[in-house]
Amino acid sequence: MSGYKLLFSQLKLSTFRGTRWTSRFHEGFGGCGKAFLSSNCPKVCIVGSGPAGFYTAQHIIKARQDVEVDIYERLPVPFGLVRFGVAPDHPEVKNVMNTFTQTAKHSRCGFYGNVNVGSDVSVSELQQAYHAVVLSYGAEGNKSVGVPGEDLAGVLSAKDLVGWYNGLPNCRELSPDLTCETAVILGQGNVALDVARILLSPIDILKKTDITRPALEALAESRVRRVLIVGRRGPMQVACTIKELREMVNLPGSRPEMVAADFEGVTEALKDLPRARKRLTELMLKTALEIPSEKVQERRKNASRIWGFRFFRSPVEVLGNPNHRVAGIRLAVNRLEGSGEGSQAVVTGEVEDVNCGLIISSIGYKSLPIDPSVPFDSRKAIVPNSMGRVQQAAGLYCSGWLKTGPTGVIATTMNNSFDTAKSLLEDMDSGTLDVSAPKTGSQSIRTLLDKRGVKLVTFSDWEKIDKLETRRGEACGKPREKLLTVEEMLNVART
């Protein structure tokens, strides 16, 4: 018998049950196997299991064979905005969860859900247990519109509406009023178009997605037939991408309704635009101004729902009715100063009122402070940092929207997170980050949380939830039927 097999035969697997050491044999005993030198391994803790957290973990694990990474998540389920932010009818975007699952199941990665960092455990306590802590918990706050009347019933944030139809537990009770004919969305980014598309999509399309059952039932009864997507600047500054615009243009049962005057001078400016912006603007021009083919004309003539961009408009006031509900919105009419991306909207003094019963603010997410010990820039709503290194806080890093603000798509977050991981690894290699002293990692944190009555959810526990949701979805022709409360999730995890 070879030395490899002899050693393997002599080990009692039960001794190491629940640890992450087993696949270390396939790494030729390189690095830091849990069963042998775990106490001397560099240990990294990541707070947040969305794309930023998982991409950071992925890069660290791949780059060094001697680092253990633990991911802590506030909810019992992983994947953050991939699960709760990506539109239900974009299943291809959610495929990234397969990659994240591989990372979570790696021998040197641990997942601990149902842990609220900042209340269940402090960042300082994590720093005592780990050589480095990476904050990747994203942006769960809403930016305020800042106009009178925004607190009236019928004014919602896009973040909350997206969370409602995607099954985010704290948005479960949202219950939006969809009895009006016209909805106004403030903002013209991809999230705004996602919301518009979900509001106007035929139910036969939505029922094949992982949209939640309560949302599906509410949308089936919706009387919303017209959605206006409002932006303070013009067509050449619109923040969405061509993919989302094309989906709106081709949405079954709907037709576009644009204001031709909003596109004055745009055709002449096309030649100077970057390629991606040029293609997007050309599609808008075609949609707004060109006479479509007979087939498209016929489809649009039979459409029962309408959508359209409204450019050069800023909210001034939400107008209410005697029942303190939304009755409309007053918009300032703007003009642009400057050109291109750097142009600024300037009010003209003219206003217009739009009758509507639902207003959805999609002007951006913002990060919130997690712990008094962590530096936080309230104005920019980020943790102040240099290439992911938190300023004046050795051993503390950040990635994702907490690092840059809520910009870009998942691919942007991937590069952002890889850069943070590189900074951390450079600090390890240079000795700036001291990893020589042993750290206890998850061992001491789990003991601490147990004493505080916090019930951890491991990745294998999540897989129980995943299997149940998938099974429930298959029963009604959907990819999954999500559990909607933390209590339900925990009950399944503990089964």
Side-chain angles (χ1 to χ4, degrees), residues 246 248-258 283-307:
R246 191 179 291 119
M248 289 302 302
V249 172
N250 297 324
L251 186 64
S254 297
R255 61 182 173 84
E257 181 186 82
M258 306 284 198
L283 179 56
M284 271 190 289
L285 280 168
K286 181 179 179 181
T287 304
L289 304 179
E290 289 186 14
I291 298 174
S293 65
E294 288 186 14
K295 182 179 178 181
V296 173
Q297 284 187 61
E298 185 66 22
R299 178 172 68 79
R300 291 181 179 176
K301 186 174 76 171
N302 295 325
S304 61
R305 303 183 180 192
I306 297 168
W307 67 274

Side-chain angles (χ1 to χ4, degrees), residues 4 7-8 11 13 21-29 36:
Y4 178 96
L7 176 59
F8 189 83
L11 289 171
L13 298 183
W21 71 278
T22 51
S23 68
R24 301 306 308 154
F25 287 102
H26 302 288
E27 297 180 28
F29 298 108
F36 303 103

Side-chain angles (χ1 to χ4, degrees), residues 98-118:
N98 297 329
T99 303
F100 296 163
T101 295
Q102 292 176 14
T103 299
K105 297 177 83 166
H106 192 281
S107 59
R108 288 182 285 112
C109 186
F111 170 81
Y112 302 107
N114 198 42
V115 179
N116 195 334
V117 174

Side-chain angles (χ1 to χ4, degrees), residues 33 37 79 172 179 187 238 285 306 344 361 408 448 464 485 488:
L37 301 174
F79 308 135
R172 180 169 171 261
T179 59
V238 69
L285 280 168
I306 297 168
Q344 298 293 319
S361 170
L448 192 66
K464 297 176 190 175
T485 69
E488 286 180 295

Side-chain angles (χ1 to χ4, degrees), residues 55-69:
Y55 279 129
T56 304
Q58 176 188 321
H59 190 83
I60 292 171
I61 289 169
K62 185 176 180 180
R64 279 185 64 145
Q65 302 298 311
D66 64 337
V67 180
E68 290 179 2
V69 177

Side-chain angles (χ1 to χ4, degrees), residues 76-77 83-84 166-169 172 210 212-214 461-462 464-470 472 480-493:
V77 296
R83 177 180 168 98
F84 296 117
N166 273 330
L168 185 63
R172 180 169 171 261
D210 68 357
T212 65
R213 184 178 297 146
D461 293 332
W462 146 248
K464 297 176 190 175
I465 298 171
D466 183 37
K467 286 177 183 176
L468 176 63
E469 290 183 341
T470 303
R472 287 173 48 172
R480 71 172 63 238
E481 188 67 60
K482 293 175 181 174
L483 301 180
L484 301 182
T485 69
V486 169
E487 290 73 22
E488 286 180 295
M489 295 171 183
L490 294 177
N491 286 338
V492 174

